[in-house]
Amino acid sequence: MFCKNCGTEMSDDARFCPNCGTDKLGENTSPNNKRKENDNTVKFQLKPKFNWGYKIITTGLSALLWVLIIALWLSESLVQLLLLFPALPVIVLTITVAYVAIKLIFEKLQYDALEYNFYATKVEYKDGFLNKEEKELKYKYIREVTMNKSILERIFNIGTIRIFTNASSGTTYNSKHNKMYGKNGLAIHCIKDVKEQYQKIKNIIDEGTENED
């Protein structure tokens, strides 16, 4: 017999066409085609929201730490510098505040472009700010999904979800792109109602992993 859709010859016992997946009734309903269709449909989208209070504190403390480290490094000549340049503390403060402000603005634009789309069997990460970046993880390669809230995150009612793959080994912070990476994994920060979002993501990944088996 021949496929009603593409004309490919198929055995009488075959249910689906080996070429296009069409069944004997002419309906394209093979499991592979259903999976492809599901993987083109977003089941859940997560867009982290930039939290000004949390980011001001963390970025400000980081900048202050660097100022203190430099001050300790120059401790022997710091008094002489202050005598030569009495306005040095004001200059340092101005530069520090400007740095924090610029970094916060860029991070805000970064967060506005972040997008995590969860499909039937995969999650796609998209970042359209400055350099466009996309990343895809298949659920069958994910070994662990975790959720945590630091003391500061709890104050601002946000949290972090980390997705580790079989190749993951901890996480690494990429300051250039302001993101946390696991080795072949993802870390999603500043998530509001993180427990609820975590449960949704975990359910989708668990379901997608079961369907792959």
Side-chain angles (χ1 to χ4, degrees):
M1 63 181 293
F2 296 90
C3 174
K4 297 179 180 180
N5 182 54
C6 67
T8 300
E9 186 175 1
M10 52 190 291
S11 67
D12 293 337
D13 297 332
R15 179 180 176 184
F16 300 104
C17 171
N19 181 53
C20 69
T22 301
D23 69 9
K24 290 181 179 179
L25 299 177
E27 298 175 350
N28 201 348
T29 56
S30 72
N32 288 336
N33 286 323
K34 279 185 173 292
R35 185 174 297 166
K36 289 179 181 179
E37 181 180 346
N38 289 337
D39 271 348
N40 289 327
T41 303
V42 177
K43 299 184 69 174
F44 177 64
Q45 183 181 83
L46 182 61
K47 291 180 68 67
K49 300 296 183 183
F50 186 82
N51 189 294
W52 281 101
Y54 174 78
K55 286 296 184 179
I56 287 173
I57 292 176
T58 54
T59 305
L61 289 176
S62 177
L64 180 60
L65 178 62
W66 277 109
V67 171
L68 291 175
I69 291 174
I70 294 173
L72 289 173
W73 182 57
L74 298 173
S75 58
E76 294 183 359
S77 56
L78 188 59
V79 175
Q80 294 179 353
L81 287 174
L82 289 173
L83 292 174
L84 290 174
F85 305 100
L88 184 60
V90 177
I91 295 174
V92 171
L93 179 61
T94 302
I95 293 174
T96 303
V97 171
Y99 165 79
V100 170
I102 293 171
K103 193 172 191 303
L104 288 173
I105 291 172
F106 272 88
E107 286 192 18
K108 174 64 168 62
L109 295 173
Q110 177 78 41
Y111 268 79
D112 289 344
L114 290 177
E115 184 178 294
Y116 298 85
N117 293 318
F118 292 82
Y119 297 83
T121 62
K122 65 182 180 181
V123 54
E124 285 185 351
Y125 155 84
K126 295 183 180 181
D127 175 11
F129 178 65
L130 294 181
N131 298 322
K132 187 173 182 180
E133 181 180 358
E134 294 186 8
K135 185 174 184 177
E136 176 183 296
L137 288 179
K138 291 287 187 180
Y139 296 156
K140 62 182 178 181
Y141 299 126
I142 293 175
R143 66 174 172 84
E144 185 179 21
V145 182
T146 65
M147 180 272 296
N148 69 281
K149 300 172 70 173
S150 66
I151 295 176
L152 189 58
E153 286 176 321
R154 290 172 63 183
I155 293 174
F156 290 97
N157 192 29
I158 57 177
T160 299
I161 294 176
R162 290 185 172 89
I163 299 175
F164 298 96
T165 67
N166 292 326
S168 299
S169 176
T171 54
T172 303
Y173 182 68
N174 187 319
S175 58
K176 181 178 179 181
H177 296 287
N178 183 39
K179 291 186 290 294
M180 289 289 294
Y181 289 111
K183 295 179 181 178
N184 296 323
L186 291 172
I188 314 173
H189 299 273
C190 285
I191 304 175
K192 196 170 180 62
D193 301 322
V194 66
K195 282 188 177 181
E196 180 182 346
Q197 310 301 339
Y198 164 75
Q199 196 58 53
K200 288 180 181 178
I201 290 172
K202 192 173 185 307
N203 290 341
I204 292 174
I205 292 176
D206 288 344
E207 182 181 346
T209 303
E210 291 174 358
N211 291 337
E212 283 287 317
D213 294 336

